[in-house]
Amino acid sequence: MAGFGKAMACREHVRIRLGARFMSSSSSSWWQSVEPAPKDPILGVTEAFLADPSPDKVNVGVGAYRDDNGKPVVLQSVREAERRIAGNLNMEYLPMGGSVKMVEETLKLAYGEHSEFIKDKRIAAVQSLSGTGACRLFADFQKRFRPDSQIYIPNPTWANHHNIWRDAQVPQKTYHYYHPESKGLDFSALMDDIKNAPNGSFFLLHACAHNPTGVDPSEEQWREISHQFKVKGHFAFFDMAYQGFASGDPDRDAKSIRIFLQDGHHIGISQSYAKNMGLYGQRVGCLSVLCEDEKQAVTVKSQLQQLARPMYSNPPVHGALVVSTILGDPELKKLWLKEVKVMADRIIGMRTMLRENLEKLGSPLSWKHITDQIGMFCYSGMTPEQVDRLTKEFHIYMTRNGRISMAGINTSNVGYLANAINEVTKSA
């Protein structure tokens, strides 16, 4: 019996070892097929900049506002809102649709302070995880309720737009937008693409301060675009990430949207407070869809909330409190509007200084487009090879498409930047 027991114990030991080996083999194979994700072209620029020990390094890659000393900015209006919030409010869950007060104030910025659409409750709107979250939520809504549709996206556009609609499994096409030779808008080709798209197509439009080009249609061109959308029955989805940040006037920056509203379109809008309130890390924004009537708006909002539920359940509270506190108080809102204009004016001033410095250096190229363009970014026209030289020889970091973040330029580095740009482009 002792020998039998010994044999059984040995067999059990072998069984356990084999089982462990099988479990180990099975577990290690679960993720063997996973390949490293490609680096984000924008965030990768910052990583390289931070790793560079050079004291002369300059980062004009990332779209985040800096003051004239190159430091991040927290607006006074935001600080005051946070002071009022601190210790006075709880941190309970928001509803799936987010802060009702924040959404109400946000709609006024886009649709107008006295909008009839707000008054008639025709807008389905929810708080979103900034502009990215609003775009993704709409893309999923489009896929669920218009499953056979596709989205027309400008060429070029913010790179994440393609990621968002791709992951929502919405087919994409591009339409002409930027004209490389003039470094302006390719309006005739854009209009041809609108006319040639199938009736009832979805189009993604940048409401203002187009990213990455800084090229916007004129008011008259927006009217022509709106008219042609009406003829074709297209749906316009506006991504408005820079309201107030482009011209310094939120109403002026919403002109494209107001034109479409005046012409009777039903539109969708993504709004973000990352840039115009500096709430980059708070991830606060809004998605809205203009509907036929109040009943339809209630229905659409219920479905937007249903989509949000398995994604993130409900949005964060702190940023929403900051926004609603600022926009809900006349004095704080007045201060915020003043601060928005200061930021926009500084960027406009940097455009002028960069162009003047390049022209003083005797550059053989025209740099008029620097001041013609608007918003945070300048589409410089530099080639990837020229951008590589800027990084290698001058420690200047930007995306390889030549996009310059004007917010990264200040009076201390604008001369150095201009000299470097002149050196790598003068032979062109």
Side-chain angles (χ1 to χ4, degrees):
M1 288 295 292
F4 177 75
K6 201 176 214 180
M8 289 296 289
C10 183
R11 286 173 65 187
E12 180 66 14
H13 178 68
V14 171
R15 186 183 69 78
I16 291 170
R17 287 185 62 192
L18 286 172
R21 187 180 301 168
F22 172 78
M23 289 293 289
S24 175
S25 172
S26 174
S27 299
S28 64
S29 68
W30 286 348
W31 311 118
Q32 282 181 351
S33 63
V34 178
E35 298 287 338
K39 282 194 173 183
D40 183 276
I42 298 173
L43 301 183
V45 169
T46 298
E47 289 178 10
F49 170 78
L50 293 173
D52 187 342
S54 171
D56 298 323
K57 64 183 180 180
V58 177
N59 185 3
V60 287
V62 177
Y65 183 77
R66 298 290 183 264
D67 64 16
D68 201 48
N69 296 311
K71 302 297 182 184
V73 173
V74 179
L75 302 184
Q76 284 181 265
S77 52
V78 170
R79 288 292 192 213
E80 174 57 23
E82 289 193 310
R83 186 191 67 78
R84 296 182 189 184
I85 293 164
N88 293 317
L89 297 163
N90 62 51
M91 295 296 161
E92 290 292 303
Y93 290 124
L94 286 174
M96 281 189 290
S99 163
V100 173
K101 186 178 179 184
M102 189 281 290
V103 169
E104 287 176 351
E105 294 296 338
T106 300
L107 294 181
K108 293 176 187 176
L109 282 181
Y111 293 83
E113 186 76 26
H114 306 292
S115 167
E116 62 182 285
F117 307 115
I118 297 174
K119 180 183 174 184
D120 294 340
K121 300 181 180 179
R122 288 179 52 192
I123 306 169
V126 295
Q127 181 183 334
S128 64
L129 304 184
S130 203
T132 301
C135 287
R136 178 56 194 267
L137 203 55
F138 181 80
D140 280 338
F141 180 73
Q142 179 186 347
K143 179 63 178 178
R144 179 168 292 185
F145 295 100
R146 296 297 295 267
D148 297 326
S149 68
Q150 56 193 358
I151 185 82
Y152 282 80
I153 294 178
N155 181 28
T157 192
W158 178 49
N160 214 23
H161 282 146
H162 292 293
N163 300 333
I164 289 165
W165 268 269
R166 179 200 66 213
D167 282 7
Q169 299 182 348
V170 175
Q172 302 176 36
K173 287 192 174 181
T174 59
Y175 63 88
H176 288 87
Y177 190 85
Y178 181 72
H179 191 266
E181 285 72 32
S182 68
K183 298 181 178 64
L185 184 66
D186 194 347
F187 185 64
S188 61
L190 184 157
M191 291 299 288
D192 285 342
D193 287 345
I194 293 171
K195 292 172 185 175
N196 293 331
N199 290 354
S201 294
F202 285 79
F203 275 75
L204 170 68
L205 303 172
H206 294 231
C208 63
H210 181 274
N211 178 6
T213 69
V215 174
D216 287 351
S218 67
E219 183 174 330
E220 185 54 42
Q221 287 171 332
W222 274 121
R223 294 192 185 282
E224 291 187 50
I225 292 169
S226 174
H227 172 73
Q228 195 57 48
F229 266 57
K230 199 73 175 173
V231 170
K232 296 288 293 184
H234 294 330
F235 184 91
F237 181 74
F238 286 93
D239 187 356
M240 185 160 58
Y242 299 94
Q243 187 179 9
F245 207 87
S247 68
D249 180 353
D251 281 327
R252 180 178 171 186
D253 290 347
K255 190 65 179 176
S256 58
I257 289 172
R258 308 285 170 80
I259 288 170
F260 270 68
L261 293 175
Q262 289 164 10
D263 288 349
H265 293 278
H266 293 163
I267 63 173
I269 307 175
S270 162
Q271 291 172 260
S272 167
Y273 289 102
K275 306 297 191 298
N276 59 15
M277 281 194 185
L279 299 177
Y280 302 97
Q282 297 297 342
R283 313 310 297 148
V284 57
C286 180
L287 168 63
S288 62
V289 179
L290 178 60
C291 301
E292 294 278 356
D293 52 34
E294 181 181 355
K295 182 180 178 182
Q296 188 180 84
V298 170
T299 301
V300 170
K301 181 179 178 180
S302 73
Q303 292 292 348
L304 294 175
Q305 292 179 153
Q306 193 73 17
L307 285 165
R309 176 64 169 154
M311 279 191 200
Y312 53 84
S313 212
N314 40 35
V317 66
H318 185 74
L321 287 172
V322 171
V323 171
S324 58
T325 301
I326 291 172
L327 297 183
D329 181 280
E331 288 304 311
L332 265 188
K333 184 177 180 180
K334 184 178 178 182
L335 174 60
W336 170 66
L337 290 170
K338 179 181 176 183
E339 291 180 299
V340 168
K341 187 156 189 343
V342 167
M343 290 191 290
D345 286 350
R346 196 188 85 76
I347 288 176
I348 292 168
M350 287 301 105
R351 286 183 178 278
T352 301
M353 288 186 70
L354 179 60
R355 177 183 171 181
E356 287 177 350
N357 273 267
L358 282 162
E359 289 172 348
K360 285 176 184 175
L361 289 166
S363 172
L365 304 176
S366 169
W367 296 101
K368 181 175 177 291
H369 60 282
I370 295 178
T371 49
D372 285 346
Q373 295 169 8
I374 192 169
M376 183 171 280
F377 301 111
C378 167
Y379 217 46
S380 66
M382 287 186 287
T383 66
E385 293 73 26
Q386 289 168 339
V387 172
D388 290 343
R389 278 192 65 194
L390 281 179
T391 302
K392 186 176 179 181
E393 298 176 26
F394 298 95
H395 307 275
I396 293 170
Y397 293 83
M398 67 179 73
T399 51
R400 295 187 79 235
N401 61 5
R403 186 192 80 166
I404 299 173
S405 175
M406 301 306 299
I409 304 176
N410 55 59
T411 51
S412 299
N413 64 27
V414 65
Y416 178 74
L417 177 64
N419 182 67
I421 291 173
N422 183 53
E423 284 297 317
V424 303
T425 60
K426 62 186 179 183
S427 60

